[in-house]
Amino acid sequence: DLKAEYGPSVMDLRKMIQDKYSLEVGARDRWPTYVSHEEDCKLRKSKWDEKYGKFDDKKSLRVVMWDMTNIPACAFSDPNMNRITYSVYYAMNCFKGGVFVQLCGWMGTAPLWTGAVSDTDYNKRAGYIKEQHQFARDDLVMVDGVRGYRAFLNIYDKGYRAKLVAHREGEQLVLQPDFAESDRRFNRTQTLRSASVASDRGGNERAVNVAKRSWYLKRGFQPHSSAKQ
């Protein structure tokens, strides 16, 4: 369609598109992965201060919400590729990646992995927990004239087993809805905590939708697509 409309050859058009992607990636990589704790506290809505503390509180929390999402993929002719990209949860071949949002609205993504990976395994091996630890070590918080380390509080849904991994990387914290066995009821505290987490994570669901608005991602991985792009 572009060739018929504008005239350049297919190779020239592909180079133009590749150059455009390279410019976008270069611009994106110049930004930090996360906003500083001070920026997050100053830019977010005041309602979060009651739950997670103000910036100058000694126990204020550096909050980030994580979720997994999928990018559809075609069925592969290679049986091994077909197996590792098939997700039982989504019932399709796909790639999966993490999407995060901080309370001020700052969003980001983690690399795509093949669809067969579990949320727990992705969380353990993708590397973003280690990256958060390093970011928090660099972004020390000044309170009462003293600079201190402020670990991330990671908010997940029930699909993750993440507490041990987070604790090992800078004693990061984890908040999730409580999980009850099929024959056991929640007590009052568990019910309130789970409802609170579910309410807070509504913003993360919207972040996932925003991250997938691109036509390129909605279309998914097609035959002859390049995994590098």
Side-chain angles (χ1 to χ4, degrees), residues 1-225:
D1 293 340
L2 287 172
K3 182 180 179 182
E5 182 72 21
Y6 300 106
S9 68
V10 173
M11 289 185 61
D12 288 338
L13 288 169
R14 286 178 177 171
K15 185 176 185 305
M16 290 166 57
I17 293 171
Q18 182 63 48
D19 289 346
K20 180 177 182 293
Y21 285 148
S22 297
L23 285 172
E24 292 173 350
V25 170
R28 183 197 64 188
D29 290 345
R30 284 179 171 83
W31 288 85
T33 305
Y34 307 95
V35 295
S36 69
H37 185 53
E38 181 177 11
E39 291 170 324
D40 190 32
C41 292
K42 297 293 176 64
L43 296 175
R44 70 194 188 191
K45 293 182 178 179
S46 58
K47 68 175 185 177
W48 298 116
D49 294 343
E50 299 179 12
K51 179 176 284 190
Y52 298 113
K54 297 180 180 180
F55 172 70
D56 51 4
D57 293 343
K58 292 184 178 180
K59 295 186 178 181
S60 65
L61 298 170
R62 188 194 298 267
V63 180
V64 61
M65 302 183 193
W66 278 97
D67 205 353
M68 293 286 288
T69 192
N70 71 310
I71 303 299
C74 59
F76 295 89
S77 57
D78 183 339
N80 289 328
M81 194 66 180
N82 210 45
R83 175 179 56 82
I84 65 175
T85 58
Y86 187 81
S87 167
V88 175
Y89 179 82
Y90 292 108
M92 64 166 65
N93 293 88
C94 64
F95 294 91
K96 293 167 61 176
V99 178
F100 76 84
V101 63
Q102 293 177 263
L103 298 181
C104 67
W106 182 267
M107 294 169 44
T109 58
L112 290 172
W113 283 35
T114 51
V117 68
S118 68
D119 291 357
T120 298
D121 200 31
Y122 181 90
N123 176 71
K124 183 188 299 183
R125 298 166 54 200
Y128 61 82
I129 294 293
K130 185 174 183 178
E131 185 178 0
Q132 286 179 179
H133 179 204
Q134 184 60 53
F135 183 89
R137 290 176 61 185
D138 294 337
D139 182 40
L140 299 179
V141 177
M142 177 77 76
V143 177
D144 295 336
V146 179
R147 288 188 178 274
Y149 170 77
R150 195 67 51 87
F152 275 89
L153 168 63
N154 298 276
I155 301 182
Y156 299 110
D157 64 15
K158 291 186 291 187
Y160 294 80
R161 298 292 181 268
K163 292 182 180 179
L164 182 59
V165 175
H167 182 77
R168 286 174 173 172
E169 283 291 347
E171 299 184 351
Q172 295 182 59
L173 305 173
V174 170
L175 181 61
Q176 296 174 274
D178 285 277
F179 182 81
E181 301 292 341
S182 58
D183 59 347
R184 184 172 64 86
R185 290 186 176 183
F186 282 151
N187 59 36
R188 180 179 181 276
T189 300
Q190 291 172 326
T191 300
L192 292 174
R193 182 165 54 233
S194 296
S196 176
V197 173
S199 175
D200 290 351
R201 279 179 49 81
N204 192 229
E205 299 296 332
R206 290 190 289 274
V208 169
N209 292 332
V210 171
K212 296 173 67 175
R213 281 179 183 171
S214 162
W215 169 85
Y216 192 78
L217 295 180
K218 285 182 179 179
R219 184 187 65 163
F221 191 89
Q222 300 293 311
H224 310 299
S225 294

